[in-house]
Amino acid sequence: MKAAAITTSLRTIFMDLLLLIGVGLAGAILYKLVCAHETLIETISVPDELSKAGYSGSVFQSLVADHLIRLEQRAADVIPASAKEEIKLDADMPDFSVPGTSVSAKTMLQYVRETLPLPISTITGSVTKVANTKDHYVLHLTLVERGVVYHFDTPEGPITDLDKHLDALTEAVLQKHNPYIYASYKSAQAQARCYSGNGPCDFSEAQRIFSSIVYAGDDQPDYKWASLALSKIDEAYHDYKGEIEQVSELARKYPSSWSFYNWGVALSELGCQRMAIGAFEQAIARQASGEAPFNAVGRAYLTLAKHERNIHSAAAVNELKNARDNFLVAIRLKPDYQEAHVNLAESLQLLDKPADARREYSLAIEIDPTHAGLAYARYADMFADPKKRGTLLGLADRTDRSHAECRRTNSASLLEALGCSVVAQPEPAAIVQTSAHDEPQTDDTPAQTAACHGYAVEDRLPDAYLLDPVALSL
């Protein structure tokens, strides 16, 4: 009797333990849905005739998900990774029976989602046949976003025409579901037209939505990302002082690595290289694992060295060494960082390290030959043989011509990031500033130029907002 009682107790403890594990797993899934900004698309109901023809509910579910994912992937070209979210299918959710009950974890999640006011986004839908037609249907989608319900419909038509209607439908869903990501998508579209010269630089729609998020107040979840997006639009318009106004205000509320990085890019484009270094160092101080600010600091030092009267002077050599050291850190953090390899090669070339420079140019070309225009052009400078130089410059030109973005009217930072050789070529006198907001670019000096006055981080922010760059270590 005692043994049986012990066995029963152990079985009870074991079942209770399994129940706790099951509830814990269900809770973990629910927590991830709430906190990771994931959107759940449930199976779409369809008429039996469509299901038998191969157009099942899961097929429609996948079609909707694919279109939404495509929009978000396009938006991801212009947004930080931490601002992204994930589309999940209901069918992909892990399911299991909670021990000791007949309830599945998926059922439990569904019940909790429906009974509690949790900020979980769900998309449901159905396909209905249009009355008095032979083969016309309408896809209805319902978005539940933080307790608010939105309805969307495709135009009626045959199922074979559905795919062409889904782009407009999913854009409408995304606009209600996440205005920030929708605006980022529109910004990415405008950016592609602007940078490639296939249309005017018109970011007005994206700018309007980002501005509405910012004006709604800094308690909005996407406030800081929308502010950063507005600063990048200023950058696309070559309004670098406007960019600084935007990020300096943002840095007062959210002194993040991204805000200081954008600040540094704007200062570099204005020719304020020493001030740019200060901004990039603030970015590094807040996220030392980011490779881009190290590359940017190195690029600023490299620019300063190249504008010294004597490239072999003590000042120039010191700046070149600082540049080299920062490029090395960027490459250590991201070994396939093509732009940093090109920049490192140039710094080594100017430090009279030709063998090391050739190695880095070769590595940069191997990493991505399709974006190696700048690497080819810089590498050509190392050869006295006209035939070898001509071959490399021809490759540089061919690579540039394969990318419509390699246009001189784009910013230097963008051209360098894309590996465009045009950035290494002397600028014709006919090329002028494209924005009325900016004075002509100047080369920075220790005394600072009038164009840079008042735009350094220490000019705009109290000391309490700034971290000590001396604490940074390479």
Side-chain angles (χ1 to χ4, degrees):
M1 290 292 293
K2 185 179 291 185
I6 293 173
T7 301
T8 301
S9 297
L10 288 174
R11 186 181 296 112
T12 301
I13 293 171
F14 180 71
M15 292 302 296
D16 288 343
L17 182 60
L18 286 178
L19 179 60
L20 283 173
I21 292 172
V23 172
L25 287 172
I29 295 168
L30 184 62
Y31 176 82
K32 190 172 188 296
L33 278 170
V34 173
C35 299
H37 307 290
E38 292 184 336
T39 304
L40 195 62
I41 302 178
E42 298 183 351
T43 304
I44 293 171
S45 62
V46 300
D48 289 341
E49 63 196 71
L50 286 182
S51 186
K52 291 176 182 177
Y55 293 100
S56 65
S58 59
V59 167
F60 280 95
Q61 180 191 36
S62 296
L63 278 172
V64 172
D66 288 345
H67 277 72
L68 278 171
I69 289 169
R70 199 178 308 152
L71 293 177
E72 293 202 359
Q73 286 175 338
R74 189 71 184 90
D77 292 342
V78 297
I79 65 178
S82 50
K84 299 175 187 176
E85 63 175 42
E86 186 179 351
I87 299 290
K88 292 187 74 70
L89 301 182
D90 181 69
D92 294 337
M93 295 295 292
D95 197 14
F96 50 87
S97 295
V98 178
T101 74
S102 60
V103 180
S104 71
K106 189 177 290 187
T107 302
M108 184 183 297
L109 288 172
Q110 181 70 24
Y111 174 77
V112 172
R113 289 207 313 269
E114 292 174 354
T115 55
L116 296 180
L118 296 173
I120 300 172
S121 302
T122 58
I123 296 173
T124 58
S126 63
V127 177
T128 58
K129 187 173 182 179
V130 180
N132 302 318
T133 66
K134 181 179 179 181
D135 62 351
H136 279 205
Y137 299 85
V138 174
L139 169 62
H140 313 274
L141 292 182
T142 299
L143 167 69
V144 179
E145 183 70 33
R146 298 181 180 274
V148 182
V149 179
Y150 302 96
H151 298 284
F152 310 88
D153 301 320
T154 62
E156 66 175 71
I159 288 298
T160 51
D161 288 349
L162 178 65
D163 203 53
K164 70 181 182 182
H165 296 310
L166 272 175
D167 278 335
L169 185 71
T170 50
E171 276 194 39
V173 171
L174 183 60
Q175 187 172 10
K176 292 295 185 184
H177 165 53
N178 193 318
Y180 168 73
I181 291 182
Y182 174 76
S184 298
Y185 166 70
K186 302 305 288 186
S187 182
Q189 285 185 315
Q191 180 176 282
R193 289 191 298 269
C194 174
Y195 291 165
S196 64
N198 292 327
C201 293
D202 182 7
F203 292 81
S204 55
E205 184 175 2
Q207 204 166 21
R208 176 184 61 79
I209 300 171
F210 287 137
S211 296
S212 69
I213 295 171
V214 172
Y215 293 153
D218 59 4
D219 59 335
Q220 298 298 307
D222 295 314
Y223 171 88
K224 60 182 177 181
W225 303 125
S227 295
L228 281 170
L230 287 171
S231 76
K232 296 305 288 185
I233 289 175
D234 285 333
E235 188 177 309
Y237 282 135
H238 299 284
D239 182 7
Y240 303 117
K241 291 184 177 179
E243 181 175 15
I244 292 172
E245 295 289 347
Q246 186 72 43
V247 293
S248 60
E249 178 64 26
L250 177 61
R252 285 180 172 273
K253 297 177 179 178
Y254 297 100
S256 68
S257 177
W258 278 106
S259 56
F260 285 104
Y261 179 78
N262 286 10
W263 197 333
V265 169
L267 287 166
S268 287
E269 293 291 346
L270 287 171
C272 314
Q273 303 300 342
R274 295 193 188 280
M275 287 183 173
I277 290 170
F280 290 133
E281 285 180 339
Q282 291 298 315
I284 292 169
R286 286 163 175 80
Q287 187 184 7
S289 60
E291 69 280 351
F294 283 105
N295 177 66
V297 169
R299 191 170 57 211
Y301 275 120
L302 183 58
T303 301
L304 288 171
K306 288 160 66 176
H307 287 94
E308 294 285 352
R309 292 179 182 273
N310 180 1
I311 197 66
H312 299 293
S313 67
V317 170
N318 185 57
E319 285 158 350
L320 287 171
K321 288 180 177 178
N322 283 334
R324 175 201 62 195
D325 292 345
N326 278 277
F327 297 141
L328 286 170
V329 175
I331 291 168
R332 188 178 73 229
L333 293 171
K334 185 180 179 183
D336 63 346
Y337 196 173
Q338 185 180 44
E339 183 185 353
H341 280 284
V342 175
N343 289 333
L344 175 59
E346 187 178 7
S347 67
L348 292 169
Q349 181 181 349
L350 295 173
L351 284 168
D352 294 324
K353 303 285 186 182
D356 294 337
R358 289 190 180 95
R359 182 191 69 245
E360 291 299 325
Y361 283 131
S362 296
L363 278 172
I365 293 167
E366 289 175 11
I367 287 170
D368 185 0
T370 66
H371 284 90
L374 183 57
Y376 283 126
R378 298 287 192 205
Y379 200 9
D381 289 340
M382 301 195 68
F383 294 91
D385 179 7
K387 185 176 180 180
K388 182 66 174 176
R389 283 176 55 85
T391 299
L392 289 169
L393 289 173
L395 290 169
D397 182 62
R398 186 187 309 168
T399 304
D400 273 12
R401 282 188 281 109
S402 68
H403 299 286
E405 297 85 359
C406 290
R407 302 163 61 246
R408 194 179 290 279
T409 52
N410 286 329
S411 66
S413 58
L414 173 66
L415 294 174
E416 289 180 2
L418 294 173
C420 301
S421 70
V422 66
V423 78
Q425 300 170 13
E427 189 169 351
I431 300 296
V432 296
Q433 284 296 107
T434 57
S435 170
H437 297 280
D438 298 331
E439 292 87 350
Q441 290 191 8
T442 58
D443 297 327
D444 199 7
T445 67
Q448 301 298 353
T449 62
C452 303
H453 181 69
Y455 288 95
V457 291
E458 57 268 23
D459 294 332
R460 295 296 181 104
L461 297 177
D463 291 344
Y465 285 77
L466 306 179
L467 301 180
D468 185 4
V470 177
L472 304 177
S473 61
L474 298 178

